[in-house]
Amino acid sequence: LSPQAPFEEGEAYGTDRLRKILVLMTDGVNMMEEQNRRWTKSDYTGIGYAAEARLGTSNRDRIREKLDDKVLEVCETIKDEDHDIEVYTIMFNPDKGWWMDAVRRMLQDCATSTRHAHEAVSASELITVFNRIGSDIAQLRLTK
């Protein structure tokens, strides 16, 4: 997607007759597994242990909210006019927790539009979603 380092293979942003498209597939849950018996307060993740408070808090719910905010920040950067990348999101096999409405909203906000946001709870639904995205991408658009 990017013409800049570290992966410089992408065409320049704004190239005529070129659509840049990103498909983000996730369960959507930015959770840290709790470990009450240890000083770490969590399993080790990409942001370390919850106890290290690398996002300004060791509260696991606040960490989830902050990570959701970071996902949205990345999505907004990707979609901005300088990059103009179309974003599809797929929430695959979503969790059943109380936080899932917030996750759905986050992935809908991340997507270019609500029709770019999808959910699949099984492998067969995932195939359907990818087919739908493929059809949308492949549509021939005629303009005058």
Side-chain angles (χ1 to χ4, degrees):
L1 291 173
S2 174
Q4 301 161 340
F7 305 106
E8 301 172 346
E9 294 83 6
E11 294 291 329
Y13 297 116
T15 300
D16 286 341
R17 299 176 52 181
L18 176 72
R19 289 170 66 191
K20 291 185 179 244
I21 298 167
L22 172 76
V23 178
L24 171 65
M25 186 174 79
T26 178
D27 67 359
V29 183
N30 290 314
M31 298 295 286
M32 298 187 89
E33 289 298 320
E34 187 173 15
Q35 296 291 340
N36 284 329
R37 295 183 195 106
R38 306 172 97 189
W39 69 269
T40 61
K41 293 188 176 183
S42 73
D43 288 341
Y44 191 79
T45 70
I47 59 163
Y49 294 109
E52 295 172 315
R54 291 183 180 173
L55 294 178
T57 182
S58 62
N59 178 286
R60 292 179 323 111
D61 291 332
R62 288 289 302 138
I63 289 170
R64 181 190 51 76
E65 291 170 5
K66 287 181 174 277
L67 288 171
D68 287 353
D69 290 345
K70 287 190 173 294
V71 169
L72 286 174
E73 184 180 328
V74 168
C75 290
E76 291 307 313
T77 299
I78 289 169
K79 295 185 303 185
D80 74 12
E81 63 187 38
D82 291 335
H83 299 99
D84 196 27
I85 297 172
E86 202 170 339
V87 178
Y88 287 86
T89 60
I90 303 170
M91 183 175 6
F92 180 60
N93 199 18
D95 200 352
K96 304 292 187 260
W98 58 267
W99 51 83
M100 291 314 295
D101 286 340
V103 171
R104 280 183 185 84
R105 279 191 304 277
M106 176 198 56
L107 291 174
Q108 287 171 351
D109 290 345
C110 179
T112 296
S113 72
T114 53
R115 73 175 179 81
H116 286 75
H118 301 278
E119 185 172 326
V121 296
S122 67
S124 62
E125 284 186 27
L126 184 60
I127 291 168
T128 301
V129 167
F130 271 110
N131 285 334
R132 193 174 310 135
I133 291 170
S135 293
D136 187 39
I137 291 170
Q139 280 184 349
L140 179 62
R141 294 186 176 103
L142 301 176
T143 61
K144 185 174 182 180

